[in-house]
Amino acid sequence: MSAGRSALRMGPAELVQAAAMARRFYLEGKSKIQIAEEFGVSRFKVARVLETALERDLVRIEIRVPAELDAERSDALRARYGLRHAVVVESPAEGEDESPDPENLGEVAADLLGELVTEGDVLGLAWGRSTIHMAAALDRLPPCTVVQLTGVYDAGTAERGSVEAVRRAAQVSGGEAHPIYAPMLLPDPATAAALRSQTGIARAFEYFDKVTVACVSIGSWEPGISTVHDMLSDEERAHYASLGVAAEMSAHLFDAEGRRVGRDLGERCITVEADRLRRIPEVVAIAGGQRKAAAIGAVLRSGLVTSLVTDRAAADYLLTESSPGTHPALDRTDPDGV
């Protein structure tokens, strides 16, 4: 406490009055005008008393959030990238969870969706371990339609992947489910086009322009971190690596500056187009960990994502890497200028 503040003295009557006014204001929610009327003083007097109560430590104001949430990093990350929402959670202890998509991210993302989704929305879910964790953790959603935004990593595991995530979200919300029973990556564009024309898949695609909230995952271009990387041949991986790919999201590839590369890959994929993603009002990315940090930064620069759920390890990287210069999440502009 400064010398000026320490010189302040309050007698017992003043202390009792200050405590009473503070209780009315902070605990009972009364306005300064109401308090002034009750005590027969001016509202300016009430304001001075409340200020003195803080200075004399009669009142302590604490901002407390659950220990697993890092409010300071969350706000800094939101401001740096112009995100609508940024939620940074505690990283798993070293050796505790070595998976590229810690389950606690999905749990927090499930709570965030409970806040963002409103009745009548169309919720889109892209393939990804983090979105699958999120769907499994859902315990509340307003009535909404749920649509799958990508094919599955392996059609043989659909029951444990994207299809089940869509079913789970629809079950919690009580809305319709529109899954896609098809692999994400096909051998050639002709096969992909044929599948897109099939009734069930075409019906899901019709909802893409109606999606209001989407959940996506992010992968870096390395084994076990990007499902698309793992689905390609060695020759194809080398080809896309030569184009400077640094990140993958929903089968779209990005370089370090957020520009899309290897667009021909999309012709072979069952996935929502990047232009459609850009038109979705709220796109929540769920990704964390040091191995994904640079990839997350690349996707944030793409302007396709509006909100992020991540962990401290990734947030610390994102807060120290070179500034994006603009607010891509708010601008929703394409770095390619296309």
Side-chain angles (χ1 to χ4, degrees):
M1 185 176 294
S2 68
R5 288 185 176 181
S6 61
L8 292 173
R9 299 188 62 85
M10 299 177 70
E14 289 178 303
L15 286 169
V16 170
Q17 184 185 68
M21 289 184 176
R23 177 173 293 277
R24 304 291 195 280
F25 186 72
Y26 291 108
L27 298 183
E28 299 175 11
K30 290 188 176 181
S31 69
K32 292 174 184 176
I33 292 176
Q34 290 174 313
I35 297 170
E37 291 176 351
E38 178 182 349
F39 287 87
V41 298
S42 72
R43 61 185 177 90
F44 302 104
K45 167 71 172 178
V46 173
R48 287 196 298 272
V49 170
L50 292 175
E51 182 179 351
T52 301
L54 285 171
E55 292 174 339
R56 297 296 295 163
D57 209 23
L58 290 176
V59 175
R60 297 182 183 181
I61 298 176
E62 293 183 340
I63 300 173
R64 305 177 69 179
V65 296
E68 67 270 16
L69 298 182
D70 192 317
E72 185 175 352
R73 282 180 174 86
S74 297
D75 188 56
L77 196 59
R78 178 201 57 76
R80 184 177 181 84
Y81 287 89
L83 293 161
R84 293 205 186 103
H85 305 280
V87 182
V88 177
V89 305
E90 184 177 2
S91 299
E94 187 174 352
E96 186 175 289
D97 189 344
E98 298 179 357
S99 70
D101 298 282
E103 291 193 20
N104 64 329
L105 293 184
E107 293 167 359
V108 173
D111 287 338
L112 178 61
L113 276 192
E115 293 182 60
L116 298 181
V117 176
T118 59
E119 185 172 352
D121 275 344
V122 176
L123 172 63
L125 300 181
W127 196 96
R129 284 177 288 262
S130 57
T131 53
I132 291 169
H133 292 159
M134 180 277 300
L138 283 172
D139 59 10
R140 62 185 177 96
L141 269 184
C144 64
T145 299
V146 186
V147 60
Q148 194 169 321
L149 296 178
T150 64
V152 297
Y153 172 50
D154 181 349
T157 62
E159 292 301 318
R160 300 189 300 276
S162 304
V163 170
E164 181 56 30
V166 170
R167 288 175 174 167
R168 167 67 182 167
Q171 180 184 34
V172 172
S173 74
E176 295 181 3
H178 294 275
I180 294 177
Y181 296 95
M184 183 189 296
L185 180 66
L186 282 303
D188 53 70
T191 305
L195 275 177
R196 290 190 203 103
S197 67
Q198 290 187 359
T199 304
I201 297 175
R203 186 177 299 116
F205 267 62
E206 288 174 359
Y207 276 91
F208 285 1
D209 286 329
K210 303 174 185 177
V211 174
T212 50
V213 181
C215 241
V216 300
S217 296
I218 296 172
S220 54
W221 200 244
E222 57 180 304
I225 309 296
S226 164
T227 53
V228 172
H229 177 282
D230 292 345
M231 286 189 282
L232 296 172
S233 67
D234 291 340
E235 182 179 356
E236 289 171 324
R237 292 170 190 157
H239 165 67
Y240 291 117
S242 72
L243 300 179
V245 59
E248 174 262 318
M249 179 184 71
S250 303
H252 300 295
L253 309 181
F254 306 87
D255 68 11
E257 298 304 317
R259 296 183 293 259
R260 289 180 59 208
V261 296
R263 297 189 183 211
D264 61 303
L265 182 65
E267 298 175 5
R268 297 169 49 195
C269 293
I270 303 296
T271 186
V272 60
E273 299 95 327
D275 290 341
R276 278 177 160 171
L277 266 177
R278 201 180 302 279
R279 293 195 296 268
I280 295 174
E282 186 74 76
V283 179
V284 181
I286 314 168
Q290 290 182 340
R291 294 175 67 185
K292 283 191 176 183
I296 296 169
V299 173
L300 291 182
R301 285 177 165 82
S302 74
L304 293 174
V305 168
T306 62
S307 298
L308 175 67
V309 177
T310 190
D311 61 7
R312 288 176 182 169
D316 285 344
Y317 174 90
L318 294 168
L319 290 171
T320 56
E321 72 164 354
S322 60
S323 172
T326 60
H327 288 158
L330 292 180
D331 301 336
R332 305 303 293 274
T333 54
D334 188 342
D336 292 326
V338 179

